[in-house]
Amino acid sequence: MSPEWLLADGTPIADAMVLSHPEQLVRLRAACPSAAPTAVLGGDPCFDRMLAARPHRDRFRRTLGVRRGQRLLVLNSTWNPESLFGDGGAEDLLPSLLPRLTGELPADEYRLAAVLHPNIWHGHGPGQIRAWLHRARRGGLALLDPLEGWRQALLAADAVIGDHGSVSYYAAALGVPVLLGAAPLSGLDPRSPVAEFVRTAPRLDPRAPLRRQVESLLDGHRPLPGPAALTTSAPGESAALLRKVFYRLIGIPEPPWPALLDPLPLPPYDPPLRTAPLRVLTRLPRAGEVALRRFAEPGHEPAGEPPGEGSAGDVTAHLAVHEDTADPGAAASADVIFRYGDAADPRLGPPANWCAEVLARWPHCALAAYVTGPGDCTVRTRAGDLLRLTAAPSAADPAAGASALHAALAGGTAPAELVADGLTVRTGSTAHHFTVTPLG
C-alpha cells in the first residue's frame, strides 16, 4: 500500500482499488492518503468461491484419493527467497522437507499434496520443479496445478504446512490448522492481519521429528480468529459488489440478472502412486487382524509400532515395491510386488497372469498383487493361492491389504481361515475389512 506502488507522478494509478475489508482502508489512508479516494470494498471472490464449495469437501478429498482414516496434509509456498520453497538453493526447506514427510508419515494415514506459486513454476521451469521434487513424488506426493487445484485442496485439507503467502492465510481463514515452515516478517505491513498471523501461528521445527509435530498441530488446533474475520467483510457478496463497481466505471446500467461466480470445478481424479520402495511394519493383534504401517523410502527405521488393540504381538517388517520402481534392486529383494491397472488392460494380461509372471521373474517375491480398483485387487502367493481382496472404495489401499495378507500368511494364518472370516487391516485408529475370495 505504499505510494511507489499506487501513485504515478502523485496521481493514483487505478480508477478503483478493490479492498476486501475495512481494516485495509484504515491502513491505506495512513500509508497513501492520495489513493484512498479510489478504494472500494468489493469482498473476496476467491474466498467466496471456496465458501460456496465447502459442501463438496468429501468429493475433493476423494479426488486426491484420500481414504477413510487418512489425513490430507497440503504444503504450499509463495515465491520469494524467504518462502518455504526459497530460490532453488541448497538451503531451501521444502525440497528437503517433502521426502522426509513421505518417509516419516505412514502412507496409509497421511496423503500429501504440494501447491507452489505459479511464479515458482515460471521462474525455474516445470522440468526443474519436477526434478527437485522427484523423490517425494515417487513417495506419493501429489503436485497440484498452481492455478486450478489449490482451492479445492485447501477445502479438502486436514492441515497445511506453509509460509507467509496467501494460501496459508486462506487456509487459516477456513479454519484449517496451519504450521509455518517459513515465517519472514520483512516485506509485510506490521499492522496487517497477515503479519499478525505470521507472528502467532505455530512454527515447524525442521530438525525435529515431523510426525509428532503434525499430530500435535492436529490434536491441539484452535482456529485463529483473525483470518476468518478479516479476509472479507462481505462473505458471499463479492460478485454483486464487484459487478456494481465495474458497470459504474464502464458507465452503463447493470443487467437485471444476479451476479454469480463460477463454482469451483471437480478436479481430475489424482490418487497416490507410490513407486518408491515401501518399508512395511506389521503385527498381528489377534486372528484375522493385521495392524500395518507403510513408509515410503524412509531415511531411517521408522519409529512407532503399528497400532492395534489386543495382545501386542511381534512387529515384523517386509518390503513392498511397485512394479515400476526406479530401483531394480528393490524389486529383486521385495517380498510383495504390486501395481495398479485395469483388469482388461491387454498390455498386462489378466491380473492372474500378471501375478504369475511377476512371481516367475522375481524369485524372492512371496506375493504379487494387481490392484484393479479403489477396493479390489487380485493376489497370487508363492504357494500358488490365487485370491481376490475386496473392500469398500473408501477403505485402505488394496495394496496395503495385500501387504497385510502377506503378513497374516507369514504369521501362520491359513488361507482358508481368511476366506472364511475375512481380513481386518488396521491403519492408525481405523479398521478396514477385506473380503478374501478364492479364484480358480
Side-chain angles (χ1 to χ4, degrees):
M1 292 191 180
S2 55
E4 59 266 29
W5 287 98
L6 304 181
L7 305 179
D9 298 325
T11 302
I13 295 171
D15 294 312
M17 187 161 122
V18 178
L19 308 178
S20 66
H21 196 282
E23 72 82 19
Q24 297 164 12
L25 181 57
V26 174
R27 290 189 290 118
L28 176 63
R29 285 171 175 158
C32 187
S34 299
T38 69
V40 294
L41 288 170
D44 186 327
C46 178
F47 193 57
D48 282 354
R49 293 177 77 199
M50 287 190 276
L51 293 177
R54 268 184 156 172
H56 303 312
R57 180 175 189 265
D58 287 344
R59 293 182 186 176
F60 297 146
R61 289 173 67 82
R62 290 193 294 269
T63 288
L64 288 168
V66 179
R67 294 175 177 270
R68 185 165 54 88
Q70 270 190 317
R71 289 163 159 173
L72 173 62
L73 179 60
V74 175
L75 298 100
N76 79 89
S77 176
T78 191
W79 62 285
N80 67 43
E82 295 182 302
S83 68
L84 193 62
F85 196 89
D87 57 5
E91 301 302 316
D92 290 344
L93 180 59
L94 188 61
S96 61
L97 181 67
L98 286 173
R100 280 190 58 203
L101 284 166
T102 57
E104 292 184 32
L105 298 180
D108 300 294
E109 296 168 45
Y110 288 91
R111 173 75 166 115
L112 301 180
V115 177
L116 305 182
H117 193 284
N119 285 356
I120 297 176
W121 289 88
H122 176 74
H124 298 295
Q128 181 63 76
I129 296 299
R130 291 190 173 93
W132 276 329
L133 304 186
H134 177 65
R135 183 181 172 193
R137 293 176 70 211
R138 290 192 296 115
L141 173 78
L143 192 53
L144 300 181
D145 185 293
L147 298 178
E148 300 300 331
W150 66 270
R151 299 172 187 85
Q152 296 89 326
L154 286 190
L155 290 167
D158 293 289
V160 166
I161 295 179
D163 53 24
H164 58 298
S166 59
V167 174
S168 298
Y169 194 79
Y170 276 132
L174 291 168
V176 179
V178 177
L179 197 60
L180 293 181
L185 286 167
S186 58
L188 296 178
D189 182 345
R191 300 165 299 171
S192 69
V194 174
E196 177 64 16
F197 166 68
V198 168
R199 284 191 291 265
T200 56
R203 294 286 194 279
L204 175 76
D205 181 354
R207 295 161 298 191
L210 298 175
R211 189 169 88 204
R212 188 181 309 152
Q213 294 184 73
V214 173
E215 291 175 349
S216 177
L217 173 74
L218 290 162
D219 294 341
H221 175 59
R222 298 292 183 274
L224 298 173
L230 298 175
T231 295
T232 176
S233 60
E237 300 177 22
S238 63
L241 292 171
L242 290 172
R243 190 176 74 172
K244 182 178 293 186
V245 172
F246 300 154
Y247 276 83
R248 175 177 60 80
L249 293 174
I250 295 171
I252 60 176
E254 286 188 71
W257 50 82
L260 303 173
L261 298 172
D262 286 340
L264 292 181
L266 188 63
Y269 184 46
D270 187 17
L273 179 64
R274 298 180 181 90
T275 59
L278 295 167
R279 178 75 166 169
V280 186
L281 304 182
T282 61
R283 67 184 183 89
L284 311 180
R286 57 175 63 87
E289 180 175 326
V290 177
L292 171 146
R293 272 185 168 148
R294 301 187 298 166
F295 297 87
E297 207 170 23
H300 50 77
E301 185 63 21
E305 67 176 33
E309 300 175 355
S311 58
D314 293 329
V315 176
T316 61
H318 68 263
L319 183 66
V321 176
H322 193 287
E323 187 188 29
D324 291 339
T325 180
D327 183 359
S333 58
D335 303 283
V336 174
I337 295 178
F338 62 92
R339 78 166 300 122
Y340 302 87
D342 190 323
D345 190 336
R347 299 170 299 171
L348 301 170
N353 290 7
W354 177 88
C355 291
E357 291 175 5
V358 166
L359 292 173
R361 185 181 310 123
W362 303 109
H364 182 81
C365 178
L367 183 147
Y370 189 110
V371 179
T372 52
D376 299 272
C377 74
T378 297
V379 303
R380 188 186 290 273
T381 69
R382 179 64 63 182
D385 299 294
L386 183 63
L387 304 167
R388 184 186 182 196
L389 299 181
T390 56
S394 62
D397 180 359
S403 274
L405 178 68
H406 167 71
L409 296 175
T413 304
E417 294 179 57
L418 298 173
V419 169
D421 301 326
L423 174 66
T424 298
V425 180
R426 185 173 292 278
T427 59
S429 60
T430 306
H432 314 270
H433 183 75
F434 283 81
T435 299
V436 183
T437 306
L439 298 175

